[in-house]
Amino acid sequence: MSERTLSVGLLGCGNVGAALVRLLAAHEGDIAQRTGCRLAITRVAVRDPSRERDLPLDRAVFTDDPGSVVDDPAVDIVCELIGGLKPARSLILRAFAAGKPVVTANKELLANDGRSLFDAADAGGVDLYFEAAVGGGIPLIRPLKESLTGERIARVLGIVNGTTNYILTRMAEDGSAYDDALAEAQRLGYAEADATADVDGFDAAAKCAILASIAFNARVVASEVFREGIAGVTSQDIADATKLGYVVKLLAIAELEDDAITARVHPAMIPTSHPLAAVRDAYNAVFVEGPSIGQLMFYGRGAGGEPTAVAVAGDLVTVARHLVQGGRGVGCTCVYERRIRPMDDTRGQYYLNLHVEDRPGVLAEIADRFGSNGVSIERVWQEGFGDEAMLAFVTHRAQEGAFQKTVQELRELSVVRDVASLLRVEGEE
Ligand SMILES: NC(=O)c1ccc[n+]([C@@H]2O[C@H](COP(=O)([O-])OP(=O)(O)OC[C@H]3O[C@@H](n4cnc5c(N)ncnc54)[C@H](OP(=O)(O)O)[C@@H]3O)[C@@H](O)[C@H]2O)c1
């Protein structure tokens, strides 16, 4: 084995960083065999260097000055595990300017600013790797970016946020109310005290932007992803879905059709026979479809320090190999400009459950609103009588804008008391 040692400067040593430190120590031999060198973490930036961390590292390597880690001439590779936009972005750009490759798990940064990061990596002639940014320990970026180069990916459909999947699983399997399931997720450490990024779909939208960009070779940023969280999912929605043979999941969906990209995150009903329906609790899964491969599914732990650190370590091995052997990995693959389809122009199937007046002519009046907006009904049935009367509908595939206009008109009808449940339906074809 070569005696060469590459020095890693670690920015952030929290859940993922600490797991990475332990993992690199435990797999030293395997890493050296694959890279032809040793990897040593020689500098670590944290907020509080005085904190006891119980890691196989000398205390002297810790600092609260991340810039000094990046600037240290002895540091060969920068590994950014602080998260967020600031100061992570400027530190990464500083590393590129100094000609140092970067490995990061920062989905927020990649989804908002991927273009400028890759430009800076190109200018510095160095690698930017981010396998851990989507799906934690699930290998997704490399398969999409490299292994599937020979495929024209048509659709990526995934459960990419473990917190919301846990909440929806509890609601479906235990009959928990949304607030109780969220509190349970927080107690177990799946959800942060401020769960907004998860439950409002921001985290999933960032991942959707990254997946869409890589799958379709065109830049999609987080703000271009249609986003609807799970806070509005009710026990009624879950009960209706169960009754119909569906489960409710927060899905990230990226599609390419007629050279336009659809990127959206929202709760949806999927049939219990769909492979994603079996993805329970905090697990993640991403379903990739293309004409040659058909369907592929990547499944596993989408978060957690240890699984995520495995993905980071894999990137470090790749980057280290490039430093030892020369060359660079695949850089930015967003080489096309593609239109992002507005949500109103997308097409989908919908489930709608209405509280209605129980008298003759109601169905005809409601069906007329569907018909006049060009939304055709696949199934309709009545439940309950009198004050409890409900009409439930599943539409054929229809344009989102036309469906939303239909719902708006239905809300204004005197025969409709209220909309009890409204969900998109996916995975039927
Ligand atoms: N956790 C997961 O399951 C997971 C999964 C996939 C991706 N990721 C991504 O991985 C990254 C790290 O996540 P994490 O869960 O490990 O975060 P974390 O536990 O909050 O750790 C953040 C680390 O950064 C340090 N830090 C924060 N601000 C700093 C600053 N200004 N200067 C220097 N150090 C600073 C903290 O120092 P102290 O230790 O002193 O507080 C801590 O060590 C994020 O981008 C996250 O999105 C995480």
Side-chain angles (χ1 to χ4, degrees):
M1 189 205 308
S2 153
E3 285 307 303
R4 183 170 177 189
T5 297
L6 288 178
S7 165
V8 177
L10 188 57
L11 309 179
C13 194
N15 289 317
V16 183
L20 179 73
V21 170
R22 294 193 184 94
L23 193 150
L24 291 187
H27 297 269
E28 203 181 12
D30 294 332
I31 290 169
Q33 189 268 330
R34 284 161 174 75
T35 57
C37 69
R38 291 179 196 283
L39 282 185
I41 294 178
T42 55
R43 301 288 309 276
V44 182
V46 289
R47 233 173 341 213
D48 177 8
S50 66
R51 217 176 82 207
E52 185 51 59
R53 292 175 194 263
D54 190 23
L55 290 171
L57 283 177
D58 193 307
R59 281 193 90 115
V61 305
F62 287 91
T63 173
D64 63 0
D65 178 5
S68 73
V69 174
V70 175
D71 295 343
D72 186 336
V75 165
D76 300 296
I77 303 170
V78 171
C79 183
E80 187 278 310
L81 297 173
I82 293 176
L85 303 179
K86 282 182 185 172
R89 181 177 185 273
S90 60
L91 291 165
I92 291 176
L93 294 178
R94 199 153 146 182
F96 291 146
K100 299 181 186 188
V102 173
V103 171
T104 178
N106 196 326
K107 67 207 134 210
E108 210 185 336
L109 196 49
L110 263 301
N112 285 292
D113 222 356
R115 172 89 65 199
S116 69
L117 294 183
F118 271 108
D119 285 349
D122 283 344
V126 290
D127 283 333
L128 167 60
Y129 273 71
F130 53 94
E131 182 61 69
V134 185
I138 309 170
L140 271 171
I141 306 298
R142 192 183 315 254
L144 285 174
K145 213 166 173 169
E146 299 183 33
S147 319
L148 295 173
T149 307
E151 177 59 297
R152 194 171 290 274
I153 295 168
R155 192 152 103 118
V156 179
L157 181 71
I159 294 169
V160 294
N161 181 272
T163 307
T164 45
N165 203 48
Y166 179 82
I167 293 171
L168 293 172
T169 304
R170 293 281 66 81
M171 289 175 77
E173 295 184 5
D174 310 339
S176 304
Y178 170 79
D179 287 339
D180 295 338
L182 170 59
E184 175 76 356
Q186 282 165 327
R187 197 181 61 73
L188 290 170
Y190 292 144
E192 313 234 340
D194 178 0
T196 313
D198 292 322
V199 299
D200 286 351
F202 288 102
D203 175 83
K207 292 166 178 170
C208 186
I210 296 171
L211 291 174
S213 299
I214 296 173
F216 308 133
N217 300 313
R219 178 71 51 199
V220 178
V221 296
S223 58
E224 292 171 316
V225 177
F226 172 84
R227 180 184 52 78
E228 209 177 274
I230 63 161
V233 175
T234 62
S235 299
Q236 173 85 50
D237 294 333
I238 302 280
D240 286 3
T242 308
K243 207 161 47 188
L244 293 169
Y246 294 101
V247 288
V248 179
K249 297 289 184 189
L250 181 71
L251 297 180
I253 302 166
E255 289 161 313
L256 181 66
E257 207 182 336
D258 301 331
D259 216 33
I261 294 174
T262 301
R264 52 199 166 105
V265 165
H266 53 70
M269 302 202 312
I270 52 172
T272 47
S273 55
H274 193 283
L276 286 178
V279 179
R280 299 172 56 253
D281 292 333
Y283 278 83
N284 283 194
V286 173
F287 208 67
V288 179
E289 297 176 359
S292 305
I293 48 154
Q295 298 175 324
L296 281 179
M297 186 154 111
F298 300 83
Y299 169 83
R301 290 182 195 279
E306 285 187 19
T308 307
V310 171
V312 175
D315 281 351
L316 286 173
V317 165
T318 305
V319 167
R321 269 173 70 90
H322 294 155
L323 288 181
V324 170
Q325 298 179 352
R328 285 173 69 198
V330 178
C332 183
T333 49
C334 296
V335 291
Y336 302 115
E337 291 292 331
R338 296 197 202 271
R339 189 170 71 85
I340 310 290
R341 197 184 299 281
M343 190 61 186
D344 273 356
D345 291 349
T346 63
R347 292 180 68 77
Q349 255 190 300
Y350 304 87
Y351 167 75
L352 183 67
N353 191 347
L354 304 172
H355 278 130
V356 294
E357 300 283 330
D358 191 7
R359 61 175 167 76
V362 169
L363 179 57
E365 210 175 321
I366 290 172
D368 178 62
R369 294 296 87 220
F370 277 95
S372 65
N373 285 299
V375 178
S376 88
I377 298 166
E378 183 190 276
R379 276 185 282 165
V380 56
W381 64 101
Q382 178 172 353
E383 293 173 359
F385 300 97
D387 287 350
E388 306 288 312
M390 295 179 109
L391 278 176
F393 302 83
V394 175
T395 71
H396 283 291
R397 282 179 75 76
Q399 200 188 27
E400 169 90 13
F403 177 74
Q404 295 298 351
K405 184 160 174 284
T406 307
V407 174
Q408 200 181 325
E409 290 176 10
L410 290 173
R411 285 184 200 275
E412 287 161 12
L413 288 184
S414 61
V415 297
V416 174
R417 292 182 175 162
D418 66 67
V419 174
S421 184
L422 188 172
L423 280 167
R424 297 178 179 85
V425 180
E426 294 290 336
E428 284 278 27
E429 324 88 286

